[in-house]
Amino acid sequence: METPRVDESAVKHALPMGRVVSFATITALGFLLGQVSGIVREMVVSAQFGLSAEIDAYKLAYLVPTIINNIVAGSAITAAIMPTFARYLIAGKRDEFWYAASVITNIVLIVTGALTILGMLFAAPIISVFGGGLALSTQSLAAALLVIMMPTLALGALLNMLLAALNSLDRFIGRALIFIALNGGIIVTVILFAPRIGIYSVALGFTLGVLLQVLAQTFELRRERVQYTFKLDWHHPALRQVGAVFLPITALALVSQVNSAVDTAMAAALPTGSIGALSYANTILGAFYSLGISFGIAVFPSLSRMAATNDLASTARALRTSLRLLIFILAPFTLLLIAFANPVVGVLLGRGRFDANAVQLTAAALTMYAIGLVAIAVLSVLQPAFYALSDGRTPLVIGTLVIAAHVALNILLIPWLAHAGIALSASLTSIVGVGVLILLFARRVPGLGLTNLIAFLIRCFVFGAVSTVPVFWWFSSLHLGLESLTARLIGVGFAALGGLIYLLLAIVTRTPESEMLWQTARGFLKLDGRRKTDDGVR
């Protein structure tokens, strides 16, 4: 049995960009609902625990299975296997597709199962490595929480394999449900059990939520003729092909997770609550950069099929359209979040034990993270574009250099900005890294239109500045303060006004992306009889 070869003269297998945008819309809506539920989750958890040592212990324990999963069976394995899956499906060999998927899944589950057991047995030493700067009582609590949460490693591995198979078949509804399932598990468990078992309820909810994520995929699995087989075929050609791409992607994931651990360790040496403030700020920002993740997920299968048929022109067009949409949508949010970080955090989290000081700490981190919002979102599309070309080495080299620069910049900025210095460092290095990756991709795939992309980026940020500066000045002139809920709600209202002004500017100047989004929304909601999304962006 050999991995199928694809005839480059075959009919185009890439989906029209309109359908890709529709898939991204489905995923984005799911992610948006997931982020809303995530914010509700943080509201429930923060009201119970604030920025306390307990929440630091939970965040630290959460980090361990998440890091291992991201290295062994997270986005790395998905990125590595998607081009291989695309070859089987383009060749019409669905039976071999399911067999290869079964073999890879079995191996991944064996590895993650063993690591799960080891993580539970050696929880205390692991926590001492990641959180050595925390008090011993906090480390002890984190170790106990880790034992409860470690099974999510194997469950997460199964989830990612299911998602990879389903996304290869252009099925995205199950993926759209994953964050709602996770957050729902945590919210319900905390509400029911926090008064009796405290922070342990969050750990239990997390484990339950990951289990619900796996079960959510059964809705779409039932629509496919799944042909799972429990077999360990170590000589299957797909393993060699996947392994060659998997190694550099995993290396990048490993370096990235080490970077997260370093950030956590540095934050652990700062005043209590610094880890939580960074985590809460990143959660809020995630409601916006998840749009980039949505586009990356939706366009990756199509990019893999384009690459398999060597259709570089379509690859460049699909990536260019995705990047322009992300820039258009996220440029105003970047400036609005910087200007209105405190009211946003206050409205979302400022209740219970999450006092004014906690709001200020989290807002400082959000302001700095927001600077890199567009870059973080663009990276979620740009990396899969390289992986679709079976190139994991370029993102690895650039990513490693960026992470090294991030750690060095942390050291320079923390004495001046404390935990917010970590956030600013992440933003600045992300911007530089994405810039380099775009330049390298443009050299490899002609037709990306780099000059036009830069001009469009400047145009969107100019519109964003014109929309943000006046409303922020107007809000500031009211001298409402930022400690009352009323003042915070008014601040969020002014931010929404800025977003509306930006949209009106785009419509008046006939920015193509505003029309594209409108047509996609009409087609998605079936307000007209057909989808009229046009990927002909100048």
Side-chain angles (χ1 to χ4, degrees):
M1 184 185 299
E2 296 182 358
T3 303
R5 296 181 180 274
V6 179
D7 183 2
E8 294 181 9
S9 65
V11 109
K12 302 284 184 187
H13 292 279
L15 288 171
M17 196 61 199
R19 291 201 58 195
V20 172
V21 174
S22 295
F23 289 149
T25 302
I26 293 171
T27 309
L29 287 174
F31 275 29
L32 177 60
L33 292 175
Q35 292 298 330
V36 170
S37 67
I39 292 171
V40 173
R41 176 200 70 207
E42 298 294 15
M43 291 168 65
V44 171
V45 174
S46 63
Q48 287 284 342
F49 305 104
L51 290 183
S52 60
E54 292 171 303
I55 207 66
D56 281 351
Y58 165 74
K59 297 294 185 181
L60 181 58
Y62 164 85
L63 190 67
V64 176
T66 302
I67 285 178
I68 299 174
N69 182 272
N70 288 342
I71 294 171
V72 177
S75 58
I77 190 66
T78 303
I81 64 181
M82 196 74 77
T84 299
F85 282 0
R87 289 181 175 274
Y88 283 108
L89 293 172
I90 289 174
K93 299 182 177 181
R94 291 176 70 92
D95 291 346
E96 294 183 23
F97 159 76
W98 284 115
Y99 181 78
S102 298
V103 169
I104 298 171
T105 299
N106 295 335
I107 294 173
V108 168
L109 289 179
I110 289 173
V111 172
T112 54
L115 291 174
T116 296
I117 295 172
L118 290 173
M120 296 173 73
L121 291 175
F122 298 99
I126 293 172
I127 289 297
S128 66
V129 171
F130 284 94
L134 296 174
L136 291 179
S137 59
T138 305
Q139 291 185 45
S140 178
L141 176 58
L145 296 174
L146 178 57
V147 173
I148 298 172
M149 299 166 68
M150 202 65 203
T152 61
L153 173 59
L155 287 171
L158 176 59
L159 172 67
N160 286 320
M161 293 307 301
L162 291 173
L163 291 174
L166 287 170
N167 291 169
S168 296
L169 297 165
D170 290 323
R171 293 197 176 274
F172 297 92
I173 293 177
R175 181 180 282 274
L177 298 174
I178 60 174
F179 290 114
I180 299 174
L182 175 64
N183 296 324
I186 295 175
I187 291 168
V188 172
T189 307
V190 170
I191 292 175
L192 292 178
F193 299 109
R196 282 176 282 178
I197 60 175
I199 195 67
Y200 290 97
S201 63
V202 190
L204 285 172
F206 177 69
T207 303
L208 173 63
V210 177
L211 176 60
L212 292 174
Q213 287 181 316
V214 174
L215 295 177
Q217 307 314 308
T218 60
F219 291 104
E220 288 194 303
L221 278 175
R222 290 185 299 178
R223 300 183 181 182
E224 296 292 338
R225 297 177 180 177
V226 180
Q227 301 172 39
Y228 172 75
T229 178
F230 184 78
K231 188 172 181 180
L232 298 176
D233 186 353
W234 297 98
H235 300 290
H236 195 284
L239 291 179
R240 295 193 298 272
Q241 192 174 73
V242 170
V245 182
F246 178 71
L247 290 177
I249 299 176
T250 300
L252 176 58
L254 176 60
V255 174
S256 299
Q257 297 310 311
V258 169
N259 175 66
S260 296
V262 170
D263 280 356
T264 301
M266 288 183 170
L270 297 173
T272 298
S274 296
I275 296 176
L278 288 169
S279 178
Y280 284 129
N282 191 49
T283 297
I284 294 172
L285 195 74
F288 301 94
Y289 69 67
S290 63
L291 182 66
I293 299 174
S294 301
F295 268 96
I297 291 169
V299 79
F300 189 27
S302 195
L303 286 175
S304 297
R305 291 189 285 267
M306 293 170 188
T309 56
N310 199 34
D311 187 1
L312 297 183
S314 294
T315 300
R317 185 168 61 251
L319 184 61
R320 182 178 68 248
T321 302
S322 299
L323 295 184
R324 285 180 62 107
L325 280 169
L326 287 175
I327 291 169
F328 174 72
I329 296 170
L330 296 179
F333 284 116
T334 296
L335 299 176
L336 290 168
L337 284 172
I338 291 172
F340 294 96
N342 199 299
V344 168
V345 174
V347 168
L348 296 176
L349 304 177
R351 60 190 50 81
R353 292 178 59 185
F354 207 92
D355 56 20
N357 181 61
V359 169
Q360 184 60 44
L361 287 172
T362 305
L366 179 59
T367 298
M368 298 305 176
Y369 273 138
I371 293 172
L373 174 58
V374 172
I376 295 170
V378 165
L379 186 63
S380 298
V381 176
L382 198 56
Q383 283 186 338
F386 278 97
Y387 299 153
L389 299 174
S390 297
D391 180 6
R393 186 175 302 174
T394 299
L396 170 61
V397 173
I398 301 304
T400 302
L401 293 174
V402 166
I403 289 168
H406 170 56
V407 174
L409 196 56
N410 279 354
I411 296 172
L412 293 176
L413 293 177
I414 285 176
W416 297 92
L417 299 172
H419 68 292
I422 297 175
L424 178 58
S425 172
S427 292
L428 295 178
T429 53
S430 294
I431 292 170
V432 173
V434 165
V436 173
L437 284 175
I438 289 179
L439 286 172
L440 294 176
F441 193 89
R443 291 179 59 184
R444 181 167 179 176
V445 179
L448 188 60
L450 191 57
T451 302
N452 287 337
L453 273 178
I454 295 172
F456 185 70
L457 175 70
I458 295 172
R459 175 184 181 182
C460 290
F461 271 100
V462 169
F463 283 2
V466 170
S467 306
T468 301
V469 173
V471 295
F472 180 69
W473 174 84
W474 188 7
F475 173 69
S476 300
S477 67
L478 298 178
H479 302 292
L480 297 175
L482 295 172
E483 294 189 0
S484 70
L485 178 59
T486 300
R488 292 166 176 171
L489 286 171
I490 292 174
V492 172
F494 271 88
L497 176 61
L500 178 60
I501 293 173
Y502 175 87
L503 183 59
L504 291 175
L505 282 173
I507 294 172
V508 169
T509 57
R510 296 186 177 182
T511 303
E513 282 67 25
S514 62
E515 176 66 13
M516 182 186 299
L517 291 176
W518 169 240
Q519 296 292 355
T520 300
R522 292 181 65 187
F524 183 75
L525 295 174
K526 299 180 180 179
L527 295 179
D528 54 7
R530 58 192 177 89
R531 297 186 183 278
K532 298 185 289 183
T533 305
D534 179 17
D535 65 336
V537 179
R538 295 183 297 275

